[in-house]
């Protein structure tokens, strides 16, 4: 059993035991007010080790954040800061209990590691119900956290825990297939690398080989010290498991939400620059979940930053004060959509009633072969343009824009293509260039040079789900492979993830059609301590596993077919605010 201390203005119960229905005992730290009473609970369940300080586990991210945003560190000793969960020193004084649970097999919780599995989701459910009946609990449990701690909120909400009263999903993907593991059917190698860098390093059983929590004195990864062989037996082969499920089968559905069963009030916060993992689920969740009390927020900057800044924390606090404390603070009356609209040099707050925005002027720009331009009219004649199927492809660029133009919302593209082989991978990049043709990029959720928007599609996965497809968001079934006949054109509808950009007059917009991941430049020197690769434009969200993209199948020639019927275009959500 754990122990209790009073420090930094809080009563802290270290290593509290939560027994699950199969006998595994999870470990949690509970931060609560010193005064006895019943308080609403903010709970997280995840794999990053409750005892690992943010500053120790993710030093480069922490240093960058506090240097640029001193409000994050101000007003706290920062001794209890953890990666992607709330700082209790900024919540407990406001009458909240903060509970951090190490997920099964990680940190100080024993068991077999199998991320986002039904077993994990059931554990999360049981932790919520445990927290709802403790003597210090008001019975209202809220969920709050970034990324992993947001993703699994969608999943557990599908089970409808009785004590779950509200949740804030901050940059949390949802669909295990479309958002996370297979972009347009193309395998993302992120998860295999993430597993090595961020989970195996804090797996339960590292014991004395792992770090020690300076605040509690406890070993971060359990008191038991296992061999490498024992550790390996206690975790799934995560990257290989994902690779072995190339279609959206039961494996993926078990790790995805059931939107019609999510009824709890929520705030869904997306990052415009989170391409490859973080924005899509937040937008899909807002539009598709059955909840009637739901809000969407979208912001920029690094993926962890605004969760901790005064802007983000004040937003979360107003939401939770309303739903966990019952305060009439005006939250329920504010616009359902809260956007930090992106300009080249700033973000501008805007409110709206729905997503996509009701005043969207959906505009098609056609791919014209004459000068490889984007045009408001289809091309006047047919043209076939080949490119190396795993190369840098083609870029179609507009003329300089005559006036400032806001593009905020989801994008889509239609392409008519053929391949010299039975398949082809399409990587789309929506881009903005200055008048002198320098590309405008942004600090993204992970990468410091992120393009405006990206989309992906494997041609053999072109089958659409007619019930879920919208003109502005093609929805692919991913339930069967439809090989190409070499040389025969097919029509592709490509989803491009939501974005926001106010393009200055005189700048140009462009669509690149590539056969591999976007690269801002070959080398940047940009790195973060928790990722393996150098950051060259896509962060860690790459599609470079040769087992998924064998050269014999994907390394031929792709041909883009352009014709007067306008089959190849990009659909833009242009916003007129005048």
């Amino acid at each position: 059993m754990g122990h209790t201390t009073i420090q930094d203005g809080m009563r802290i119960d270290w290593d509290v035991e939560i027994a699950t229905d199969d006998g595994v005992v999870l470990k949690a730290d509970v931060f609560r007010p010193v005064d006895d009473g019943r308080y609403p609970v903010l709970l997280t369940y995840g794999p990053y080790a409750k005892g690992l300080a943010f500053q120790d586990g993710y030093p480069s991210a922490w240093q960058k954040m506090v240097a640029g945003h001193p409000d994050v560190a101000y007003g706290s000793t920062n001794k209890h800061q953890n990666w992607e969960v709330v700082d209790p020193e900024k919540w407990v004084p406001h009458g909240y209990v903060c509970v951090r649970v190490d997920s099964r097999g990680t940190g100080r919780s024993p068991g077999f590691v199998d991320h986002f599995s039904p077993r994990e989701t059931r554990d999360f459910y049981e932790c919520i119900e445990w927290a709802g009946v403790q003597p210090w609990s008001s019975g209202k449990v809220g969920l709050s956290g970034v990324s992993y701690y947001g993703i699994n909120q969608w999943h557990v909400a599908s089970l409808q825990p009785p004590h779950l009263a509200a949740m804030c999903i901050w940059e949390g993907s949802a669909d295990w297939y479309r958002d996370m593991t297979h972009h347009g059917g193309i395998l993302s190698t992120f998860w295999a690398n993430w597993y090595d860098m961020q989970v195996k390093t804090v797996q339960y059983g590292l014991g004395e080989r792992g770090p020690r929590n300076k605040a509690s004195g406890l070993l971060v990864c359990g008191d038991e010290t296992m061999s490498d062989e024992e550790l390996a037996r206690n975790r799934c082969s995560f990257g290989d498991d994902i690779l072995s499920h190339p279609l959206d089968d039961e494996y993926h559905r078990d790790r995805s939400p059931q939107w019609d069963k999510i009824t709890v009030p929520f705030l869904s916060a997306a990052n415009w620059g989170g391409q490859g993992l973080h924005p899509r689920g937040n937008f899909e969740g807002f539009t598709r979940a059955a909840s009637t009390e739901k809000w969407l927020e979208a912001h920029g900057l690094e993926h962890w930053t605004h969760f901790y800044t005064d802007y983000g924390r004040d937003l979360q606090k107003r939401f939770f004060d309303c739903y966990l404390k019952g305060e009439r603070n005006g939250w329920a009356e504010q616009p359902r959509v809260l956007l930090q609209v992106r300009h080249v040099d700033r973000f501008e707050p805007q409110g709206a009633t729905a997503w996509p925005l009701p005043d969207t002027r959906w505009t098609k720009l056609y791919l014209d072969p004459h000068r490889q331009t984007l045009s408001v009219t289809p091309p006047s004649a047919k043209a076939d343009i080949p490119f190396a199927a795993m190369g840098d492809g083609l870029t179609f660029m507009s003329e300089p824009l005559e006036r400032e133009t806001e593009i905020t919302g989801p994008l889509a593209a239609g392409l008519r293509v053929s391949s010299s082989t039975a398949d082809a991978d399409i990587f789309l990049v929506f881009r903005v260039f200055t008048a002198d043709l320098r590309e405008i990029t942004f600090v993204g959720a992970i990468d410091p040079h992120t393009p405006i928007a990206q989309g992906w599609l494997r041609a053999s996965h072109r089958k659409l789900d007619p019930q879920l497809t919208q003109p502005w968001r093609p929805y692919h079934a991913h339930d069967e492979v439809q090989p190409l006949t070499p040389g025969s054109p097919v029509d592709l509808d490509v989803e491009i993830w939501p974005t926001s950009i106010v393009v200055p007059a005189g700048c140009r917009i462009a669509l690149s059609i590539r056969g591999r991941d976007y690269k801002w430049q070959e080398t940047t020197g940009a790195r973060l301590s928790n990722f393996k690769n150098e950051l060259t434009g896509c962060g860690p969200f790459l599609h470079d596993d040769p087992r998924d993209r064998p050269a014999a199948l994907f390394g031929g020639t792709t041909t883009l077919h352009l014709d007067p019927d306008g089959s190849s275009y990009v659909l833009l959500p242009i916003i007129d605010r005048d």
Side-chain angles (χ1 to χ4, degrees):
M1 294 294 289
H3 62 285
T4 299
T5 61
I6 294 179
Q7 55 179 276
D8 305 312
M10 302 177 291
R11 188 184 300 272
I12 308 174
D13 304 317
W14 303 104
D15 234 25
V16 177
E17 296 186 347
I18 304 175
T20 61
D21 60 6
D22 68 349
V24 169
V25 177
L26 306 175
K27 297 296 182 68
D29 292 339
V30 179
F31 302 83
R32 51 194 176 99
V34 174
D35 293 339
D36 289 337
R38 294 183 178 274
Y39 303 94
V41 179
L42 294 179
L43 186 144
T44 53
Y45 170 99
Y48 297 138
K50 61 184 176 62
L52 181 66
F54 194 138
Q55 302 91 317
D56 296 337
Y58 301 84
S60 56
W62 174 259
Q63 291 157 12
K64 183 177 179 65
M65 179 168 61
V66 297
H69 306 274
D71 53 317
V72 171
Y74 182 76
S76 172
T77 69
N78 298 297
K79 290 192 302 189
H80 308 286
Q81 290 278 13
N82 259 197
W83 177 245
E84 299 185 336
V85 299
V86 299
D87 176 4
E89 289 186 70
K90 292 191 175 184
W91 286 87
V92 171
H94 296 283
Y96 285 91
V97 173
C98 299
V99 178
R100 296 173 175 166
V101 187
D102 279 338
S103 60
R104 182 178 294 239
T106 66
R108 292 186 60 83
S109 292
F112 185 81
V113 181
D114 187 5
H115 298 292
F116 305 116
S117 64
R119 179 63 259 179
E120 267 208 357
T121 304
R122 182 67 197 178
D123 286 348
F124 198 2
Y125 177 103
E126 293 184 16
C127 291
I128 293 167
E129 291 308 291
W130 173 88
V133 297
Q134 297 307 300
W136 36 256
S137 171
S138 69
K140 290 185 178 293
V141 178
L143 305 179
S144 173
V146 187
S147 191
Y148 198 109
Y149 300 100
I151 294 166
N152 61 9
Q153 292 182 47
W154 296 122
H155 302 166
V156 77
S158 302
L159 301 181
Q160 300 182 343
H163 287 94
L164 177 58
M167 56 186 192
C168 174
I169 308 98
W170 202 272
E171 301 187 31
S173 304
D175 186 312
W176 183 230
Y177 190 91
R178 292 163 185 81
D179 298 355
M180 294 182 264
T181 65
H182 293 78
H183 299 132
I186 309 169
L187 177 74
S188 170
T189 54
F190 166 73
W191 290 102
N193 295 324
W194 166 86
Y195 199 43
D196 290 341
M197 298 294 287
Q198 292 184 236
V199 177
K200 293 178 182 178
T201 52
V202 289
Q203 186 181 349
Y204 174 86
L206 283 170
E208 295 287 352
R209 300 162 63 191
R212 188 177 291 273
N213 182 345
K214 298 181 182 70
S216 68
L218 297 170
L219 288 166
V220 169
C221 301
D223 298 327
E224 187 178 359
T225 303
M226 298 180 182
S227 67
D228 288 346
E229 292 75 15
E230 290 174 300
L231 290 169
R233 285 196 295 270
N234 281 335
R235 62 179 184 249
C236 67
S237 299
F238 201 43
D240 290 340
D241 288 352
I242 293 168
L243 177 70
S244 67
H245 293 275
L247 296 175
D248 186 20
D249 57 13
E250 185 177 7
Y251 169 81
H252 294 282
R253 290 191 294 272
D254 281 347
R255 291 159 174 79
S256 298
Q258 294 177 262
W259 295 120
D260 61 329
K261 294 185 178 179
I262 298 178
T263 57
V264 65
F266 67 78
L267 167 62
S268 176
N271 189 318
W272 300 122
Q275 299 153 40
L277 185 60
H278 290 299
R280 185 182 186 276
N282 288 105
F283 290 104
E284 286 286 298
F286 175 73
T287 56
R288 296 181 62 193
S291 303
T292 57
E293 298 170 81
K294 53 185 177 180
W295 281 263
L296 172 68
E297 188 270 355
H299 53 268
L301 302 183
E302 302 90 350
H303 146 65
W304 48 84
T305 297
H306 271 314
F307 182 76
Y308 294 95
T309 62
D310 286 349
Y311 162 76
R313 188 171 51 84
D314 289 346
L315 190 71
Q316 296 163 58
K317 188 173 180 296
R318 287 181 57 227
F319 169 73
F320 282 125
D321 284 351
C322 175
Y323 283 102
L324 299 186
K325 291 185 173 182
E327 292 185 6
R328 295 186 176 181
N329 57 8
W331 176 269
E333 288 75 47
Q334 74 174 22
R336 292 299 181 103
V337 176
L338 313 162
L339 304 180
Q340 294 290 326
V341 172
R342 182 167 56 183
H343 291 247
V344 172
D345 58 350
R346 68 188 189 280
F347 291 89
E348 182 178 299
Q350 295 281 357
T353 57
W355 182 266
L357 302 184
D359 51 356
T360 301
R361 177 162 54 88
W362 296 104
T363 303
K364 280 186 178 181
L365 294 182
Y366 297 93
L367 278 55
D368 192 309
H370 180 53
R371 288 183 296 144
Q372 279 190 212
T373 56
L374 294 175
S375 172
V376 293
T377 57
S380 58
K382 289 186 177 182
D384 299 334
I385 310 177
F387 61 92
M390 297 182 79
D392 292 333
L394 309 166
T395 295
F396 292 79
M397 188 175 294
S398 75
E399 298 295 334
L401 300 185
E402 294 181 358
R403 60 179 181 174
E404 181 180 85
T405 303
E406 180 182 342
I407 299 168
T408 297
L411 291 76
L415 300 175
R416 181 166 291 163
V417 303
S418 64
S419 173
S420 62
T421 70
D423 214 340
D425 284 345
I426 300 296
F427 296 72
L428 296 186
V429 190
F430 183 71
R431 307 165 76 178
V432 172
F433 291 86
T434 62
D436 58 354
L437 299 185
R438 288 177 294 112
E439 185 173 10
I440 297 172
T441 60
F442 293 88
V443 173
I446 301 296
D447 201 293
H449 302 101
T450 301
I452 307 303
Q454 296 181 72
W456 308 261
L457 185 62
R458 176 158 289 175
S460 62
H461 284 235
R462 63 191 178 277
K463 176 184 173 183
L464 294 171
D465 181 324
Q467 276 72 46
L468 292 173
T469 290
Q470 301 284 351
W472 42 265
R473 199 269 280 112
Y475 194 95
H476 296 89
H478 297 298
D479 59 1
E480 65 173 311
V481 173
Q482 297 180 332
L484 303 182
T485 300
S488 296
V490 295
D491 288 324
L492 308 181
D493 296 283
V494 187
E495 176 184 4
I496 302 175
W497 287 15
T499 193
S500 176
I501 178 64
V502 178
V503 184
C507 289
R508 301 171 187 255
I509 59 177
L511 182 71
S512 291
I513 304 165
R514 299 171 56 85
R516 60 182 175 182
D517 285 309
Y518 166 87
K519 242 180 201 179
W520 181 66
Q521 61 184 40
E522 286 298 319
T523 182
T524 63
R527 290 186 177 273
L528 286 171
S529 57
N530 51 308
F531 299 122
K532 291 182 180 179
N533 62 293
E534 186 177 6
L535 304 178
T536 58
C538 290
F541 309 112
L542 302 175
H543 307 81
D544 54 2
D545 191 328
R547 297 174 297 174
D548 180 65
R549 304 188 70 214
L553 185 56
F554 293 96
T557 298
T558 301
T559 300
L560 182 63
H561 301 274
L562 305 177
D563 46 49
D565 69 2
S567 57
S568 294
Y569 62 87
V570 60
L571 179 68
L572 301 181
I574 293 178
I575 308 301
D576 298 316
R577 295 192 184 273
D578 298 337

